[in-house]
Amino acid sequence: MRVLLIGANGYLGRHVADRLLADPAVQLTALGRGDDADVRFDLSTGSPGALTRFLDAVHPGVVVNCAGATRGGARELIRHNTVATATICESLRRSGCGARLVHLGCAAEYGPSPAGSSTGEDAVPRPGSPYGVSKLAASELVLGSGLDAIVLRVFSPAGPGTPTGSPLGRLAEAMRRVMQQGDGELRLAGLGVQRDFVDVRDVARAVHAAALSAAQGVVNIGSGRAVRLREVVSVLARVAGYTGPVHEPDEAHAPGGAQPPPPYPDGCGPWQQADVRSARDRLGWRPRIGLEESLADIWMEAACRI
């Protein structure tokens, strides 16, 4: 099976590439903007016609789209998330390769959900951030393309390679700095937020399963369990050996009434938890790696950072 992987150098894409390369039945070609891609192509500016010609030449059986942007203004997010996906869909429609499309969406497409609830694929998406809007628009393009396609809505990824600018990356970095100083206290805000964390290696397994399956539509990829950030801090402190105090500022009495920025500016509010039954029933997929292992890997990378 020849697979074209788009976005192989990203946080999720690197793990997807590793997973696919471990399958001896897969012939992998990476397409992206970086010099180390097998084929250099910028989806946000390249024409569908040029990509179509490449698809006809390579003739992949599966196209996996891990490309996109998580930060930036609305225009940049739309260009890298929505326009790029539109280019992929149009190119696949024009091509004679008949490839299956596995597209990575995200939980921010759903927006806020009631505390205690599990969000299923039939939930009406109400994204609360420009990022969520741009990703939802991309997923809707895939779902309405008429292609053999599946959208994997990934909840909060964790594990090795976690970007330092992400919430978990910033948390690990803050703990590293405090431990190096030796006499400080860890000051963190917004620890009441709860998210559904899923290891990036489990996400890669889900992509692999989706590539081999006939399932279409939307499938959630998460752990099925919301975890409070306060608990995440406790687990990370245990694996890091941090025994100092953790101070959570009283937001109601912040100087000048200023509120600290939310740890997850994804527009999803204080609670998010996935209903992952479809992944089990349709893909035969279940998460295998626990949060403590994911956090231990994040900490190992942070502790080795100079």
Side-chain angles (χ1 to χ4, degrees):
M1 179 176 65
R2 183 175 292 278
V3 177
L4 175 64
L5 175 59
I6 302 173
N9 294 324
Y11 173 37
L12 298 180
R14 290 194 296 272
H15 292 280
V16 171
D18 289 343
R19 177 72 187 187
L20 294 174
L21 286 169
D23 184 346
V26 170
Q27 293 179 290
L28 186 66
T29 301
L31 182 147
R33 291 180 290 170
D35 292 336
D36 49 354
D38 296 324
V39 178
R40 291 191 64 185
F41 189 85
D42 189 338
L43 287 168
S44 64
T45 58
S47 71
L51 184 55
T52 299
R53 289 190 291 273
F54 175 73
L55 291 171
D56 288 338
V58 175
H59 215 77
V62 178
V63 173
V64 177
N65 180 26
C66 294
T70 58
R71 298 179 186 82
R75 179 176 297 180
E76 183 178 6
L77 291 169
I78 290 172
R79 183 160 56 93
H80 289 292
N81 294 333
T82 313
V83 174
T85 303
T87 298
I88 295 172
C89 291
E90 180 60 24
S91 301
L92 283 169
R93 278 195 296 264
R94 295 183 188 183
S95 172
C97 68
R100 172 172 171 79
L101 175 60
V102 179
H103 172 77
L104 266 64
C106 71
E109 298 173 34
Y110 287 121
S113 56
S117 67
S118 291
T119 302
E121 291 85 354
D122 58 349
V124 177
R126 294 186 176 90
S129 67
Y131 171 64
V133 170
S134 69
K135 289 294 289 183
L136 176 61
S139 291
E140 291 296 336
L141 286 170
V142 172
L143 296 171
S145 66
L147 300 167
D148 174 14
I150 185 171
V151 173
L152 302 181
R153 281 199 177 131
V154 179
F155 278 63
S156 299
T162 292
T164 56
S166 70
L168 293 184
R170 291 196 301 270
L171 172 59
E173 181 64 17
M175 189 169 289
R176 181 188 69 83
R177 288 198 303 267
V178 167
M179 292 179 70
Q180 282 185 337
Q181 293 167 2
D183 57 354
E185 64 175 6
L186 192 58
R187 298 177 61 85
L188 301 166
L191 299 185
V193 169
Q194 297 180 72
R195 287 292 181 268
D196 185 326
F197 297 100
V198 58
D199 192 273
V200 287
R201 290 157 292 193
D202 281 333
V203 174
R205 286 180 42 248
V207 172
H208 190 197
L212 298 174
S213 80
Q216 296 185 343
V218 177
V219 175
N220 289 338
I221 302 299
S223 70
R225 172 177 172 258
V227 178
R228 199 179 302 273
L229 282 187
R230 196 172 292 112
E231 180 181 339
V232 171
V233 173
S234 176
V235 174
L236 187 62
R238 183 168 65 250
V239 301
Y242 174 71
T243 58
V246 177
H247 179 65
E248 187 173 2
D250 186 350
E251 298 179 9
H253 299 91
Q259 299 296 313
Y264 276 86
D266 52 11
C268 294
W271 170 276
Q272 198 168 56
Q273 177 175 285
D275 182 335
V276 294
R277 288 175 294 181
S278 286
R280 178 196 63 201
D281 297 341
R282 303 176 65 197
L283 300 180
W285 175 91
R286 295 174 187 267
R288 293 178 180 172
I289 300 175
L291 181 58
E292 183 162 345
E293 183 176 344
S294 302
L295 292 173
D297 288 328
I298 293 173
W299 173 250
M300 182 65 69
E301 292 177 347
C304 294
R305 196 172 299 122
I306 298 176

